[in-house]
Amino acid sequence: LQRPRHGEDPMAPMLTTRGMRGRSAGACTGRSRASVTVTQARASSGSGAKGARGAKTSRRAPLLGALLLLPLGLGEPAAAQDALPPPEAGLEVATFAGGCFWCMEPPFDKTDGVIATTSGYTGGDEPSPSYRQVSAGVTGHAESLQVLYDPKVVSYEELLQVYWHQIDPTVKDRQFCDGGKQYRSAIFYQNETQKEAAYASFVKYRDSGVFGTKKLYTEIKPAKPFWPAEDYHQDYYLKKPILYKYYRFNCGRDQYLRSIWGDQVPAPTNPDQ
């Protein structure tokens, strides 16, 4: 049974071979931004509301997957996206790549002090790339997550800790069932302070031996323009929770994280049970 790739229908393997529970992957999702401006306005008004969420999918989807995901707009041409503006005074951003950005959003959304998360693309040179371009691996971008946060409530170091608890840094140009440089793990720093903190965290986790090896492939790079993913990727784990859970479980992310971190991360949940 061949694994579907990120962006393909997570239920395809179950529909094809009923009862098989391999590590097949499907569509991945995350949380988008509603609007950074609106979200920041909420934050400044003290509402504490979080921004919308973002999601995304991967390369060549089979016909069934394409039909199932058409309501999200996956069959539509991608509209150009504007790069996110700088944060308002008093707020900061952190940018991480950890494979499927749908899966990266929930843990940050649950973190106190995070105002909004946006799924998107960064690390490449192509302006306003589409999902199809990025997932084809031709732009140099990585699927990424931009986190808007209040540093008075949560520190960048704490966000780094959340990040390391979501990825497998021991593989190059891959995260779980999604392969290619567009699925590399990376920390994109915004300034020298973040750069120093990112390198310090890398050394900390490398030397701890927690990942079973000291050969880690997570990149630490200066931030480039961050391009939000298309609207149909945003809020996917909220819009399509069942499909999202099928993808996440069959991709094996939670099983791996549980093997590393134990009770520090949620137990895998099989949506079939």
Side-chain angles (χ1 to χ4, degrees), residues 16-17 53 64 81 109 124 128 136-137 164 177 182 193 199 204 214 230-232 239 249 257 259 265:
T16 304
T17 309
R53 298 147 191 216
L64 176 59
Q81 305 289 312
D109 290 345
S128 192
W164 286 106
C177 44
Q182 63 273 35
T193 300
Y199 275 108
K204 169 187 172 182
K214 292 190 175 183
E230 296 81 347
D231 289 342
Y232 57 77
K239 291 173 181 174
F249 180 81
L257 297 177
S259 74
V265 297

Side-chain angles (χ1 to χ4, degrees), residues 157-207:
E157 288 78 7
E158 289 172 313
L159 295 179
L160 285 167
Q161 183 174 353
V162 174
Y163 172 72
W164 286 106
H165 282 68
Q166 312 309 318
I167 66 167
D168 177 0
T170 68
V171 292
K172 183 177 176 62
D173 295 339
R174 183 176 196 87
Q175 284 295 290
F176 308 101
C177 44
D178 295 314
K181 195 166 179 61
Q182 63 273 35
Y183 297 111
R184 64 191 183 272
S185 62
I187 301 169
F188 298 99
Y189 57 84
Q190 306 290 330
N191 50 49
E192 286 300 309
T193 300
Q194 286 192 0
K195 178 181 179 180
E196 292 176 5
Y199 275 108
S201 72
F202 182 97
V203 171
K204 169 187 172 182
Y205 286 106
R206 181 197 64 192
D207 292 350

Side-chain angles (χ1 to χ4, degrees), residues 46-262:
S47 67
K50 294 217 174 178
R53 298 147 191 216
K56 130 175 199 178
T57 61
S58 155
R59 316 178 182 175
R60 309 172 190 84
L63 178 60
L64 176 59
L67 292 174
L68 286 174
L69 296 174
L70 272 174
L72 285 180
L74 290 183
E76 302 171 2
Q81 305 289 312
D82 293 328
L84 286 186
E88 288 186 357
L91 300 180
E92 297 181 9
V93 295
T95 309
F96 305 110
C100 167
F101 48 34
W102 301 348
C103 297
M104 293 296 290
E105 291 209 355
F108 286 99
D109 290 345
K110 297 173 185 176
T111 302
D112 290 340
V114 170
I115 308 302
T117 58
T118 304
S119 291
Y121 319 117
T122 195
D125 297 319
E126 182 76 19
S128 192
S130 70
Y131 171 73
R132 290 186 179 182
Q133 289 175 305
V134 175
S135 62
V138 299
T139 68
H141 292 285
E143 279 200 25
S144 305
L145 186 72
Q146 186 138 301
V147 180
L148 178 68
Y149 68 100
D150 184 345
K152 297 186 296 294
V153 180
V154 62
S155 68
Y156 184 67
E157 288 78 7
E158 289 172 313
L159 295 179
L160 285 167
Q161 183 174 353
V162 174
Y163 172 72
W164 286 106
H165 282 68
Q166 312 309 318
I167 66 167
D168 177 0
T170 68
V171 292
K172 183 177 176 62
D173 295 339
R174 183 176 196 87
Q175 284 295 290
F176 308 101
C177 44
D178 295 314
K181 195 166 179 61
Q182 63 273 35
Y183 297 111
R184 64 191 183 272
S185 62
I187 301 169
F188 298 99
Y189 57 84
Q190 306 290 330
N191 50 49
E192 286 300 309
T193 300
Q194 286 192 0
K195 178 181 179 180
E196 292 176 5
Y199 275 108
S201 72
F202 182 97
V203 171
K204 169 187 172 182
Y205 286 106
R206 181 197 64 192
D207 292 350
S208 73
V210 66
F211 292 108
T213 177
K214 292 190 175 183
K215 182 64 173 178
L216 305 185
Y217 290 94
T218 300
E219 299 178 358
I220 299 176
K221 300 287 186 180
K224 290 187 174 183
F226 182 93
W227 305 93
E230 296 81 347
D231 289 342
Y232 57 77
H233 287 309
Q234 310 297 337
D235 295 323
Y236 190 89
Y237 80 91
L238 298 176
K239 291 173 181 174
K240 296 288 182 179
I242 295 177
L243 293 179
Y244 168 72
K245 289 175 183 176
Y246 266 108
Y247 164 77
R248 185 170 181 120
F249 180 81
N250 286 283
C251 203
R253 181 183 290 257
D254 288 331
Q255 293 88 326
Y256 170 81
L257 297 177
R258 188 78 167 184
S259 74
I260 299 297
W261 302 108

